[in-house]
Amino acid sequence: MNMDIAVIRGDGIGPEIVNEAIKVLDAVCEKYGHSINYEHILMGGCSIDATGEPLTDDAVKIAKSKDAVLLGSIGGNTQTSPWYKLPPNLRPEAGLLKIRKELGLFANLRPAYLYPELKDACPLKEEVASKGFDMMMMRELTGGLYFGERYTKEIDGVLTAVDTLTYSENEIRRIAIKGFDIAMKRRKKVTLVDKANVLDSSRLWRKVVDEVAKDYPEVEYGVMLVDNCAMQLVKDPAQFDVVLTENMFGDILSDEASMITGSIGMLPSASLNETKFGLYEPSGGSAPDIAGKNIANPLATILSAAMMLRYTFDLDKEADAIEKAVKTVLEEGYRTIDIAKPGEPQVKCDEMGSLVAQRV
Ligand code: NAD
């Protein structure tokens, strides 16, 4: 297959971790007979320095013409970097919001997987952690409370704030279909998380997702109230496969799910639109505190590249090869600074990339 992707290395550790993901993708291409055309575009602080804008329209145009975007991370030290003296719409993060909006990325996927080798970093009780977990948090990204009408006004001399939570059945259906499609590639289980005992929007989610579920008879489908889900994630995370939920619940629950894996440097993510197009990036930021030292953990970015192969290009075997190579490297005891226990030897960012590439 010939793949055509845009690459945004970005700021801080971004270039270091993206280089390692490209190294691994090249190894996959060599082994399985594929090719990838990489076109680099600027976003974030590096784009501000070069063009005065965090993301130019030309860069968006290039991204839109590709099959997928692989992103490192953007931004700098928010206390000291001159980028944060600019108006908010010209700061690095404005580039991220612009690209998500321009590309219509409405479905955010964050896998939370506990590697047995990193079990000690899991903050849960031993009996829970030892069962392991492997879930996909699927969060609606462009609707709900964060995008509804909001205002604050004085009513009868009392300040009153209003935020509105709106969803149309179309917005729900398109992400529900994505959720069930993804479950079909995994353990075939979907849990819809909502607050249907209180919210009308949640009751609409249930109605629409119930309908979509009928088209996927192989998928085990259930519903759970969000307050219960927050508890179940720490009590019995092994029960979850795909967790499908709206924007605000997903914002909170996906951070909770990330936290119980114990390491930010291991967490990939994907944001998808209605087509196969996706933006793939590690969950962490640009880590300015360790940038330029060749010590960042590139595994989240490497695993994001695996998600790209799986979800944009349907190359499941190749994605499995990357994920298996990452597991092997961890089994062999290789650790970057963020996942090494005190006293354990550490490998550099580029060494970790090479180790994974060799094992693909
Ligand atoms: P951060 O995720 O960059 O760093 C938090 C901590 O985790 C730091 O100690 C860092 O060294 C460590 N860390 C993160 N990724 C790591 C990796 N791959 N390997 C080893 N250690 C890692 O969060 P922050 O410090 O709050 O933000 C720094 C900058 O990143 C800010 O400008 C912020 O706006 C930006 N940011 C960008 C994105 C993105 O590009 N999508 C996401 C979050 C934050």
Side-chain angles (χ1 to χ4, degrees):
M1 183 185 283
N2 296 321
M3 297 171 256
D4 191 15
I5 69 170
V7 177
I8 302 173
R9 287 202 280 227
D11 308 315
I13 60 169
E16 299 164 48
I17 54 183
V18 168
N19 286 350
E20 300 316 306
I22 290 178
K23 196 187 272 177
V24 173
L25 283 170
D26 287 344
V28 169
C29 286
E30 198 177 319
K31 175 157 183 200
Y32 293 91
H34 303 300
S35 65
I36 302 182
N37 172 46
Y38 304 99
E39 184 161 355
H40 291 268
I41 56 177
L42 294 178
M43 187 171 92
C46 55
S47 176
I48 296 171
D49 292 346
T51 71
E53 290 176 55
L55 179 70
T56 62
D57 290 340
D58 283 347
V60 170
K61 210 164 133 195
I62 294 170
K64 279 185 176 166
S65 72
K66 305 288 172 183
D67 301 320
V69 177
L70 181 65
L71 165 65
S73 52
I74 53 107
N77 184 317
T78 51
Q79 307 291 319
T80 56
S81 164
W83 297 328
Y84 295 92
K85 304 228 162 28
L86 296 166
N89 64 331
L90 290 178
R91 291 182 192 170
E93 286 70 17
L96 204 53
L97 297 180
K98 181 172 171 180
I99 201 162
R100 286 186 180 143
K101 184 160 175 269
E102 290 281 341
L103 299 173
L105 304 170
F106 64 82
N108 181 244
L109 266 64
R110 274 166 70 172
Y113 174 73
L114 184 64
Y115 288 87
E117 299 73 25
L118 303 181
K119 194 161 60 79
D120 290 349
C122 172
L124 302 179
K125 279 188 189 158
E126 164 67 22
E127 65 256 37
V128 180
S130 60
K131 278 167 70 185
F133 54 84
D134 177 6
M135 73 185 97
M136 180 68 83
M137 299 296 308
M138 189 147 180
R139 164 190 172 192
E140 204 287 332
L141 211 53
T142 56
L145 203 57
Y146 298 171
F147 290 87
E149 193 195 348
R150 74 188 78 246
Y151 56 83
T152 305
K153 70 175 178 188
E154 213 172 280
I155 302 175
D156 297 333
V158 181
L159 268 184
T160 306
V162 175
D163 294 288
T164 41
L165 200 178
T166 310
Y167 272 108
S168 76
E169 58 180 313
N170 297 343
E171 286 173 299
I172 301 168
R173 185 165 286 107
R174 66 183 183 177
I175 190 167
I177 291 170
K178 283 259 179 233
F180 280 84
D181 283 345
I182 283 163
M184 288 296 289
K185 281 180 176 263
R186 295 174 46 94
R187 299 197 312 280
K188 299 191 173 63
K189 184 174 177 189
V190 171
T191 307
L192 169 64
V193 174
D194 62 25
K195 190 73 183 168
N197 52 344
V198 178
L199 300 175
D200 255 23
S201 56
S202 284
R203 286 189 277 268
L204 184 61
W205 270 78
R206 268 199 198 188
K207 177 178 177 296
V208 175
V209 180
D210 285 357
E211 286 164 16
V212 171
K214 293 197 176 80
D215 293 332
Y216 296 83
E218 281 176 65
V219 177
E220 182 189 341
Y221 163 60
V223 295
M224 188 177 278
L225 294 175
V226 62
D227 38 351
N228 185 23
C229 183
M231 291 191 287
Q232 294 297 328
L233 277 174
V234 291
K235 192 168 162 239
D236 180 20
Q239 68 184 288
F240 295 110
D241 181 17
V242 173
V243 177
L244 174 65
T245 192
E246 60 95 59
N247 201 344
M248 182 178 61
F249 297 158
D251 187 10
I252 299 165
L253 295 176
S254 60
D255 269 13
E256 187 184 353
S258 302
M259 183 59 215
I260 59 173
T261 67
S263 172
I264 185 93
M266 298 295 302
L267 296 170
S269 83
S271 301
L272 309 176
N273 69 14
E274 254 146 345
T275 68
K276 287 271 176 193
F277 186 94
L279 174 100
Y280 298 86
E281 59 176 323
S283 295
S286 61
D289 52 334
I290 57 166
K293 296 185 179 159
N294 191 23
I295 55 171
N297 184 347
L299 293 177
T301 318
I302 291 170
L303 292 164
S304 302
M307 289 183 82
M308 177 180 81
L309 296 181
R310 191 182 303 286
Y311 297 116
T312 290
F313 298 107
D314 278 322
L315 296 174
D316 289 352
K317 191 165 33 87
E318 290 79 348
D320 287 346
I322 296 181
E323 288 166 1
K324 196 158 163 277
V326 168
K327 278 186 199 159
T328 305
V329 165
L330 293 175
E331 274 160 27
E332 289 169 351
Y334 295 104
R335 303 283 185 270
T336 42
I337 186 168
D338 56 318
I339 53 174
K341 282 191 252 169
E344 254 183 349
Q346 295 163 14
V347 295
K348 302 271 186 198
C349 179
D350 60 350
E351 287 173 78
M352 188 55 117
S354 301
L355 286 163
V356 176
Q358 284 155 15
R359 281 150 187 78
V360 155

